[in-house]
Amino acid sequence: MEPISRRGAFNAAFAVLIILAWLALWLWERSPYGRYLNHAELGGLVHDAAWSSVLLQSSVYVTGWLLMTTAMMLPTTLPLLDAFRRMTARRTDAGQLVALVVAGYLAVWLAFGLAAHLFDLRLHALLERVAWLQANPWVFGAGPLAVAGAFQFSTLKYRCLERCRAPVGFVIQHWRGGNPVVQSLAIGAHHGVFCVGCCWALMLLMFAVGTGSIGWMLALAAIMAIEKNVAWGRRLSTPLGLALLLWAAAIALDHAWSWQ
């Protein structure tokens, strides 16, 4: 049986990591550099061909996205990390292996964030060339809401969600002996893939409101944690999907009404 002191140390370290991520984002949002958490501000740097601007954009975005995913998504993995920690508790390198699981998980979310950011920049480049989009910027607000709402009813959403809701079975399936470093990274990465699979559409909403919007982050983090880890969480998906679709429709109708 795992010593209580070791379990308490893990929970304390995990809590400190999450709190520091939230605190860093809160302070960043209120600093003179808070505007760089907004994707539109980052997109403006792309037009400057200087390598310094490109590197600035990349480093700022990677830092902001990693802080955001650590604050929002890492708490939802606590059941998985706890199961993995208990399974490896007798090993002398248990702490290192847990850290590798976290690293693998965040690496997948970072890859998704970079892909989403490049897609977002392409959309804004398209905005500058298409007159209709320039005249209808509401599409960039209603679009992510509609996509996120529709995805709540998809089969892929539920398949990935079910894998995320069975952390013990997931660890047993993937922890097969062999190289512990590689397997720890693989467990984190595999779990990250399923987590992205069930949560990517909700995370895209951050591009509509800005990476550093603490209020949105808290709301979405709570929703995703409930969906993944609470017994009745799956029942939240349908009303949430309907609410997001209605919100997108309201934006479109408001635009149509204003043009009459």
Side-chain angles (χ1 to χ4, degrees), residues 187-202:
I187 287 175
H190 286 154
H191 187 70
V193 168
F194 287 110
C195 188
V196 169
C198 68
C199 300
W200 67 269
L202 290 175

Side-chain angles (χ1 to χ4, degrees), residues 180-220:
V181 172
V182 173
Q183 288 203 19
S184 299
L185 285 170
I187 287 175
H190 286 154
H191 187 70
V193 168
F194 287 110
C195 188
V196 169
C198 68
C199 300
W200 67 269
L202 290 175
M203 286 294 283
L204 283 183
L205 295 179
M206 295 307 302
F207 285 89
V209 298
T211 306
S213 180
I214 301 298
W216 264 99
M217 287 176 58
L218 285 169
L220 290 176

Side-chain angles (χ1 to χ4, degrees), residues 76-209:
T76 70
T77 69
L78 181 57
L80 175 85
L81 295 176
D82 186 62
F84 181 80
R85 176 183 55 79
R86 285 186 279 110
M87 185 169 290
T88 59
R90 296 182 180 276
R91 296 180 60 99
T92 57
D93 58 349
Q96 176 188 354
L97 297 181
V98 171
L100 289 171
V101 173
V102 172
Y105 179 81
L106 292 179
V108 171
W109 271 109
L110 178 58
F112 168 77
L114 290 173
H117 184 57
L118 291 174
F119 178 72
D120 183 66
L121 293 178
R122 294 290 295 177
L123 284 180
H124 282 79
L126 185 65
L127 171 64
E128 297 182 357
R129 297 196 299 267
V130 179
W132 185 87
L133 288 176
Q134 294 179 20
N136 296 273
W138 60 271
V139 172
F140 290 94
L145 290 169
V147 170
F151 188 69
Q152 291 296 111
F153 301 95
S154 71
T155 302
L156 177 61
K157 165 84 177 185
Y158 291 111
R159 285 182 178 177
C160 292
L161 191 57
E162 288 303 316
R163 295 299 302 273
C164 291
R165 290 172 63 86
V168 176
F170 190 90
V171 173
I172 292 174
Q173 179 184 358
H174 290 86
W175 184 253
R176 304 172 182 171
N179 190 318
V181 172
V182 173
Q183 288 203 19
S184 299
L185 285 170
I187 287 175
H190 286 154
H191 187 70
V193 168
F194 287 110
C195 188
V196 169
C198 68
C199 300
W200 67 269
L202 290 175
M203 286 294 283
L204 283 183
L205 295 179
M206 295 307 302
F207 285 89
V209 298

Side-chain angles (χ1 to χ4, degrees), residues 18-29 37 67 214:
I18 302 304
I19 291 171
L20 287 177
W22 281 104
L23 180 61
L25 282 168
W26 184 80
L27 292 173
W28 190 347
E29 185 185 30
L37 288 174
L67 283 173
I214 301 298

